Amino acid sequence: MEKIIDKLAWFHIREGQLLAVRSKGKTLFYLPGGKREQGESDEQALIREIQEELAVDLVPGTIQYAETFRAPADGKAAGVTVQLTCYFADFTGDMSPEAEIEELQFVAMDDKAVCSQALLVAMDWLKAQSLIR
């Protein structure tokens, strides 16, 4: 039976590149975001996760569904899939890596070597929409 890790993720694009984050002790970059807690809406969970990881506040009225992606989960057993429900949103504040996040980086299609599979699937979609280079 397939195991699915259900996560929310934030798309933040600047100059044709997508914001990605790397957790402490990991080598690959991921989309910022995380899992819902009991009773949270997608919007509430995404706002909380981004605040915890990047110390910025997403602007509630600007949160807009983008797409949902599935890919093999990085560092997990075969048959474990990550499902990313992705949103665009504006933010306020100055971004900095917090909690388990060690590094932020803006990635483009030529940075595939450092990206998790789920991030690559999302990047292919964004590229097809002409949103990243």
Side-chain angles (χ1 to χ4, degrees):
M1 190 181 89
E2 185 182 43
K3 177 170 172 24
I4 296 175
I5 300 169
D6 187 23
K7 292 183 130 181
L8 301 165
W10 178 42
F11 283 156
H12 177 56
I13 298 167
R14 187 180 74 195
E15 294 166 16
Q17 296 185 303
L18 179 63
L19 176 68
V21 296
R22 186 175 59 77
S23 296
K24 293 178 176 127
K26 301 267 189 184
T27 52
L28 297 177
F29 283 83
Y30 302 81
L31 284 166
K35 297 178 183 167
R36 293 170 202 84
E37 289 181 356
Q38 190 74 40
E40 274 185 325
S41 68
D42 281 13
E43 190 174 279
Q44 290 167 328
L46 195 61
I47 289 169
R48 178 184 49 75
E49 284 286 348
I50 298 306
Q51 173 60 44
E52 287 172 7
E53 292 184 358
L54 302 172
V56 295
D57 295 306
L58 297 185
V59 180
T62 68
I63 298 173
Q64 188 178 353
Y65 174 75
E67 189 57 71
T68 301
F69 305 99
R70 282 189 174 192
D74 178 53
K76 304 286 185 203
V80 178
T81 299
V82 63
Q83 175 174 293
L84 293 175
T85 305
C86 299
Y87 293 87
F88 292 104
D90 296 336
F91 72 94
T92 59
D94 293 320
M95 225 178 271
S96 66
E98 303 289 337
E100 75 274 16
I101 304 302
E102 187 160 25
E103 185 183 357
L104 337 166
Q105 183 175 319
F106 281 86
V107 295
M109 296 308 284
D110 52 6
D111 298 309
K112 285 184 169 184
V114 297
C115 298
S116 68
Q117 285 188 276
L119 177 53
L120 291 173
V121 170
M123 287 171 66
D124 285 341
W125 181 82
L126 288 165
K127 173 85 174 150
Q129 312 291 316
S130 302
L131 293 171
I132 63 169
R133 54 182 163 79

